[in-house]
Amino acid sequence: MTSFAEIITIGDEILYGQTLDTNSHWLSSALDEAGIQVTRKTSIADKREEILEMVREAETRADIILLTGGLGPTNDDLTKPTLVEYFDTKLVHHPEVLTHIQNIFVKAGREMSELNMKQADLPENCTPIHNAFGTAPGMWFEKNGKVIISMPGVPFEMKKMMTDEIIPKLVKQFANGVIYHKIIRTVGVPESKLAQEINGWENNLPKDIRLAYLPTMGMVKLRLTAKGADSNLIEKKVSEEVEKVMPLIEKYVFGFDEDELEVVLGKLLLEKGKKLALAESCTGGYLSHMVTSVPGSSQWFNGSFIPYSNQLKNEQLDVSNETLKAHGAVSEPVVLAMAENVRKKLHADVAVAVSGIAGPGGGSEEKPVGTVWIGYADETKSTAKVFHFTKDRTINIKYSAIAALNMIRVNLNKD
Amino acid sequence: MTSFAEIITIGDEILYGQTLDTNSHWLSSALDEAGIQVTRKTSIADKREEILEMVREAETRADIILLTGGLGPTNDDLTKPTLVEYFDTKLVHHPEVLTHIQNIFVKAGREMSELNMKQADLPENCTPIHNAFGTAPGMWFEKNGKVIISMPGVPFEMKKMMTDEIIPKLVKQFANGVIYHKIIRTVGVPESKLAQEINGWENNLPKDIRLAYLPTMGMVKLRLTAKGADSNLIEKKVSEEVEKVMPLIEKYVFGFDEDELEVVLGKLLLEKGKKLALAESCTGGYLSHMVTSVPGSSQWFNGSFIPYSNQLKNEQLDVSNETLKAHGAVSEPVVLAMAENVRKKLHADVAVAVSGIAGPGGGSEEKPVGTVWIGYADETKSTAKVFHFTKDRTINIKYSAIAALNMIRVNLNKD
């Protein structure tokens, strides 16, 4: 039997659009991995009546209800008193929780306030959940076989609590049927082109396997989903379909499931014993950030230059002033020179360079906003390609970085 | 009279945690600005029954219902057929929409598929909404004085559609009372310390003004919210409270409302006619990315070095090998040398350098994961500070970047 969960995030700031709700995203993924199906996610205001109504509603639909937010020490945090009312109970003091809160303040060398002390008072019918990274404990309630869990809204506190305490307890308590997902990750091909190329295969998919196209920035994920009682059986069925579709799309596929392009690339470079260097103009550090967000990237990444001005392109990367003048900074010869020279200067085997017009300013008739040149260089060759993205600065930066990573991938796979 | 809106995002990928729902965040903020109050946001599966139930439910509560997602050309997109069923209507062909779709394909030099052609067929009772950036038109339905709007899930298509078509129409149709928010943005002070410092003021706030603490990565926003009929009156009332609290927290405040730290910093540098350069080790480009995400940053930002290896710290930024050996790359003398030398090499007036142990590897007893040194240099002085952040790589990178930006702010304000 599959167990169903609802996620409720509490906070006016989410409804007013002042805070991006990343918690419910992370929670969905963590529950999905644990075999618990999230059926609904709701964000509501930090108001007594809203919280009461929402929990009551969710209880009629789901087995597990997870609440985040509204547990801070300040007076605008209403979740705890409202749950006391909902369960018709009272607060009791937990000395072990107080000791933990005190330790946090001692370690941080900060003084504890009255408000923080009250965080050790919890509803009588709940089991406290340890908050390793913060002062607001989580609360685990049970009622008619259903579980209601309240957690702080601070992302890293909530995540630690889920991973160490809540998920193991949920998995134990709810014996689940299985949902199985397989994700095929592609880059450098638009959704509709991909759909056309796999159309014949898609039409012949077994009825109990669902296919979804998930386009993100410059990439499309294909997700196959199957449900059943026997996990081996459904896994096998999905694997057979993956084997059938792969020959049709092999050149676009860089990984599966949670594989990130930059992580895959790192592994590829490490395998080949090659080091990477980058020169970024319009991406302004975003490409380097993607690369260095990979733990252990220092094993295959030497470093970057971000010569934002033409003067620095000339001084630091030996792009001649004549070339800059004749072709402009956003041009094939400039990104080729940048890639070749950053490769040598930073003692790398492989390098890419990006120069473009991210916008909103700087566009012209000939080179409108969204025009981006990307150069690639390794020991034996160098090559460059022009892209035409959008009018949006943020999107152009991200598309350019993905295209640059893909250019490295394609060229490394050629060797 | 205030109008209430609910946002419904449709997509299995959101429930499974494979896609972060940024649409509802952006929509909340756009509606809030337009004086429309978002009372609930829900994410549901891409399933016929779920969509039907959800729209039915939301209709009992809200005046305006906004749906995103499920409008793609592929077969897993169910929103359009489900709305046809909900309104008990049929599809009719819109030649002007087809022309628009064809134009998009011609411009992109791509071939149009059968699936894309069907995107020009829309429910008979809807008014099509122009999708300037994509092939899936939006749909505007009206029923018993309520408005139901369906939009594509692709963020930049949805945003363009909202900004140009939907918001103006909504504002015209719903005469609203006013919600007024004022946000005070602080950096470099923890939530509980801030709460203590403004405790007296907070307790004396008028009853119709609500205060919320919104902590994000290294920053805390204070949001004051008031509601009323007369926008001038409530604005004045909130302004008076802001004037009272400011003297208590002035040194932490970098801006108001939508002010971003990096934008404020850019203005400050531009005002003072100063240029910035950066040297990043553990932040690996994220700090430069924050800076260059500001349109027009080339006016006050020269460029960066990201010397990820010790060899490059030595070769590119003249950090002596003796210093690196004696103190390690994460140390006061190293970040001071990096800041001073990147300032000179990149012809800047002001520079910061970051070197730390982002994790998960690389920590030691003496310098655990989360230890970060930040150095600052300008024409007259240089200074450095050590920070102790968390065990999480991503969080450490972001905290470090914020702390580095704040160090520039504090030092520029001293002059």
Side-chain angles (χ1 to χ4, degrees):
Chain A
M1 208 193 71
T2 310
S3 297
F4 299 113
E6 290 204 15
I7 298 167
I8 302 166
T9 54
I10 299 166
D12 293 355
E13 67 280 9
I14 297 167
L15 293 178
Y16 295 160
Q18 283 153 350
T19 298
L20 175 63
D21 173 23
T22 54
N23 280 348
S24 72
H25 175 243
W26 186 90
L27 278 166
S28 292
S29 162
L31 290 165
D32 183 59
E33 270 172 37
I36 294 162
Q37 192 176 349
V38 176
T39 46
R40 200 179 273 215
K41 303 202 287 189
T42 314
S43 302
I44 56 170
D46 209 338
K47 280 202 194 111
R48 180 188 150 275
E49 316 82 61
E50 283 287 304
I51 298 171
L52 290 174
E53 185 196 324
M54 193 64 225
V55 178
R56 215 174 277 135
E57 259 184 46
E59 247 195 44
T60 65
R61 291 182 298 245
D63 308 301
I64 301 159
I65 300 165
L66 296 125
L67 301 131
T68 67
L71 290 187
T74 48
N75 298 327
D76 60 323
D77 292 299
L78 296 175
T79 305
K80 195 164 70 179
T82 305
L83 288 174
V84 166
E85 182 183 347
Y86 185 77
F87 291 111
D88 192 17
T89 185
K90 60 174 196 222
L91 291 175
V92 295
H93 182 68
H94 287 256
E96 81 287 3
V97 174
L98 185 64
T99 308
H100 170 65
I101 298 174
Q102 282 165 333
N103 282 341
I104 286 183
F105 277 88
V106 169
K107 261 193 201 153
R110 280 163 45 204
E111 210 157 312
M112 193 166 152
S113 76
E114 189 96 9
L115 291 171
N116 291 115
M117 286 193 53
K118 285 192 191 147
Q119 296 191 292
D121 299 339
L122 298 171
E124 195 168 26
N125 65 329
C126 86
T127 308
I129 308 168
H130 184 61
N131 182 350
F133 292 158
T135 57
M139 298 177 278
W140 177 291
F141 300 91
E142 302 207 6
K143 189 186 161 192
N144 308 328
K146 308 214 159 184
V147 170
I148 295 134
I149 300 161
S150 165
M151 291 174 285
V154 181
F156 67 95
E157 297 180 15
M158 181 280 289
K159 288 177 192 174
K160 177 79 175 163
M161 201 177 265
M162 278 294 287
T163 309
D164 293 359
E165 313 277 336
I166 298 169
I167 293 272
K169 218 171 146 182
L170 284 177
V171 167
K172 209 169 158 190
Q173 197 150 335
F174 295 87
N176 292 299
V178 193
I179 315 180
Y180 181 71
H181 306 297
K182 188 78 196 176
I183 295 175
I184 306 172
R185 294 186 168 236
T186 71
V187 60
V189 57
E191 181 182 5
S192 57
K193 187 164 181 221
L194 198 62
Q196 270 177 292
E197 300 201 4
I198 64 174
N199 189 41
W201 168 81
E202 183 178 355
N203 290 335
N204 287 316
L205 271 177
K207 276 209 173 136
D208 51 353
I209 297 184
R210 290 179 72 188
L211 175 72
Y213 293 81
L214 310 175
T216 46
M217 210 51 82
M219 306 194 256
V220 180
K221 293 184 263 185
L222 294 172
R223 189 190 60 222
L224 292 112
T225 304
K227 279 187 211 177
D230 182 339
S231 74
N232 287 331
L233 202 73
I234 62 172
E235 245 187 88
K236 188 166 166 276
K237 220 168 158 179
V238 170
S239 299
E240 283 167 8
E241 292 305 322
V242 171
E243 266 171 48
K244 277 187 220 162
V245 77
M246 276 301 286
L248 306 175
I249 53 173
E250 202 132 37
K251 66 179 167 180
Y252 308 126
V253 176
F254 67 86
F256 297 90
D257 299 324
E258 295 305 307
D259 290 346
E260 298 287 349
L261 182 53
E262 56 274 29
V263 175
V264 170
L265 206 59
K267 280 185 196 150
L268 202 59
L269 286 161
L270 203 57
E271 250 172 54
K272 296 188 180 257
K274 294 192 173 175
K275 301 277 196 158
L276 177 68
L278 303 168
E280 300 189 59
S281 188
C282 71
T283 44
Y286 185 74
L287 178 56
S288 303
H289 167 59
M290 283 187 82
V291 160
T292 56
S293 66
V294 181
S297 42
S298 55
Q299 290 173 73
W300 47 269
F301 172 66
N302 283 1
S304 303
F305 279 150
I306 307 175
Y308 221 52
S309 66
N310 278 356
Q311 187 190 356
L312 294 182
K313 286 183 185 76
N314 170 255
E315 287 179 13
Q316 299 297 332
L317 287 175
D318 305 327
V319 183
S320 78
N321 286 326
E322 292 69 39
T323 306
L324 283 163
K325 210 174 164 191
H327 303 275
V330 180
S331 65
E332 180 166 17
V334 168
V335 291
L336 282 174
M338 283 171 72
E340 285 161 11
N341 293 331
V342 84
R343 191 181 87 81
K344 282 178 219 147
K345 278 214 160 180
L346 302 191
H347 315 293
D349 306 293
V350 170
V352 285
V354 190
S355 183
I357 298 146
S364 66
E365 184 85 3
E366 193 203 350
K367 292 178 190 172
V369 168
T371 307
V372 178
W373 273 97
I374 304 181
Y376 168 90
D378 60 26
E379 307 89 327
T380 58
K381 64 184 174 297
S382 58
T383 172
K385 211 174 150 182
V386 68
F387 295 84
H388 301 282
F389 298 123
T390 73
K391 302 251 169 291
D392 183 287
R393 182 178 184 85
T394 309
I395 292 173
N396 290 338
I397 289 172
K398 293 187 176 171
Y399 271 136
S400 301
I402 300 289
L405 292 178
N406 194 37
M407 204 151 157
I408 306 172
R409 181 188 74 92
V410 168
N411 278 290
L412 280 178
N413 282 334
K414 272 186 199 158
D415 297 343
Chain B
M1 209 194 71
T2 311
S3 297
F4 299 113
E6 290 204 15
I7 297 168
I8 301 166
T9 54
I10 299 166
D12 294 353
E13 66 281 8
I14 297 167
L15 293 178
Y16 296 160
Q18 284 153 350
T19 298
L20 175 63
D21 173 22
T22 54
N23 280 350
S24 71
H25 174 243
W26 186 90
L27 279 165
S28 291
S29 161
L31 290 164
D32 183 58
E33 270 171 37
I36 293 161
Q37 191 176 349
V38 176
T39 47
R40 201 179 273 213
K41 303 202 288 189
T42 314
S43 301
I44 55 171
D46 209 339
K47 279 201 194 112
R48 182 188 149 275
E49 315 83 60
E50 284 286 306
I51 299 171
L52 291 174
E53 185 196 324
M54 192 65 224
V55 178
R56 215 172 277 134
E57 260 183 47
E59 248 196 46
T60 65
R61 290 183 299 245
D63 308 301
I64 301 158
I65 300 165
L66 296 125
L67 301 130
T68 67
L71 290 187
T74 48
N75 298 326
D76 59 324
D77 292 299
L78 296 175
T79 306
K80 196 164 69 179
T82 305
L83 288 173
V84 166
E85 182 182 348
Y86 185 77
F87 291 110
D88 192 17
T89 184
K90 60 174 194 213
L91 290 175
V92 295
H93 182 69
H94 288 256
E96 81 287 2
V97 174
L98 185 63
T99 307
H100 170 64
I101 298 174
Q102 282 164 334
N103 282 341
I104 286 183
F105 278 89
V106 169
K107 261 194 201 152
R110 282 163 44 205
E111 210 156 313
M112 193 165 151
S113 75
E114 189 96 9
L115 292 171
N116 291 115
M117 287 193 52
K118 285 192 190 149
Q119 297 192 291
D121 298 341
L122 298 172
E124 194 168 28
N125 65 329
C126 87
T127 309
I129 308 167
H130 183 61
N131 183 351
F133 292 158
T135 57
M139 298 177 276
W140 177 290
F141 301 90
E142 303 207 5
K143 189 186 161 193
N144 307 328
K146 308 214 160 185
V147 170
I148 296 133
I149 299 161
S150 165
M151 291 175 284
V154 182
F156 68 95
E157 297 181 15
M158 181 279 289
K159 289 177 191 174
K160 178 79 174 162
M161 200 177 266
M162 277 293 288
T163 309
D164 293 0
E165 312 278 337
I166 298 168
I167 293 272
K169 219 171 147 180
L170 284 176
V171 168
K172 209 169 158 189
Q173 196 149 336
F174 296 87
N176 292 298
V178 192
I179 314 181
Y180 180 71
H181 306 296
K182 189 79 195 176
I183 295 174
I184 306 173
R185 294 185 167 236
T186 72
V187 60
V189 56
E191 180 182 5
S192 57
K193 187 165 181 224
L194 198 62
Q196 269 178 293
E197 302 201 2
I198 63 175
N199 189 41
W201 169 80
E202 184 178 354
N203 290 335
N204 288 317
L205 270 177
K207 276 209 174 139
D208 52 351
I209 297 185
R210 290 179 72 188
L211 175 72
Y213 293 79
L214 310 174
T216 46
M217 210 50 81
M219 305 194 257
V220 180
K221 293 185 263 185
L222 294 171
R223 190 191 60 223
L224 292 111
T225 305
K227 278 188 213 179
D230 182 338
S231 74
N232 288 331
L233 202 73
I234 61 171
E235 246 187 87
K236 189 167 165 275
K237 219 167 158 179
V238 169
S239 299
E240 283 167 11
E241 292 305 323
V242 171
E243 267 172 46
K244 278 188 219 160
V245 77
M246 276 302 286
L248 307 174
I249 53 173
E250 202 131 37
K251 65 178 167 179
Y252 310 126
V253 175
F254 67 86
F256 296 91
D257 299 325
E258 296 305 306
D259 289 347
E260 298 287 349
L261 182 53
E262 56 273 28
V263 175
V264 170
L265 205 60
K267 280 186 195 148
L268 202 59
L269 287 161
L270 202 58
E271 251 173 54
K272 296 187 179 258
K274 295 192 172 175
K275 302 277 196 157
L276 177 68
L278 304 168
E280 299 191 59
S281 188
C282 73
T283 44
Y286 186 74
L287 178 57
S288 303
H289 167 58
M290 283 187 82
V291 160
T292 57
S293 66
V294 180
S297 43
S298 55
Q299 290 172 74
W300 46 269
F301 172 66
N302 283 0
S304 304
F305 279 151
I306 307 175
Y308 221 52
S309 66
N310 277 358
Q311 186 190 358
L312 294 182
K313 287 183 184 76
N314 168 256
E315 286 179 14
Q316 298 297 332
L317 286 175
D318 305 329
V319 183
S320 78
N321 285 326
E322 292 69 39
T323 307
L324 282 164
K325 210 173 164 190
H327 303 274
V330 179
S331 65
E332 181 166 17
V334 168
V335 291
L336 282 174
M338 283 170 72
E340 285 161 10
N341 293 330
V342 84
R343 193 182 87 81
K344 282 179 219 147
K345 280 213 159 183
L346 303 192
H347 315 293
D349 306 293
V350 170
V352 284
V354 190
S355 183
I357 298 146
S364 66
E365 184 84 3
E366 193 203 351
K367 292 178 189 170
V369 168
T371 307
V372 177
W373 273 97
I374 304 182
Y376 169 88
D378 61 25
E379 306 88 327
T380 58
K381 63 183 175 297
S382 58
T383 172
K385 211 174 149 181
V386 66
F387 295 84
H388 302 283
F389 297 124
T390 74
K391 303 251 169 289
D392 184 287
R393 182 179 184 86
T394 308
I395 292 173
N396 289 338
I397 289 172
K398 293 186 176 172
Y399 271 136
S400 302
I402 300 289
L405 293 178
N406 194 36
M407 204 150 158
I408 305 173
R409 181 187 75 92
V410 168
N411 278 289
L412 280 178
N413 281 335
K414 272 186 197 157
D415 296 343

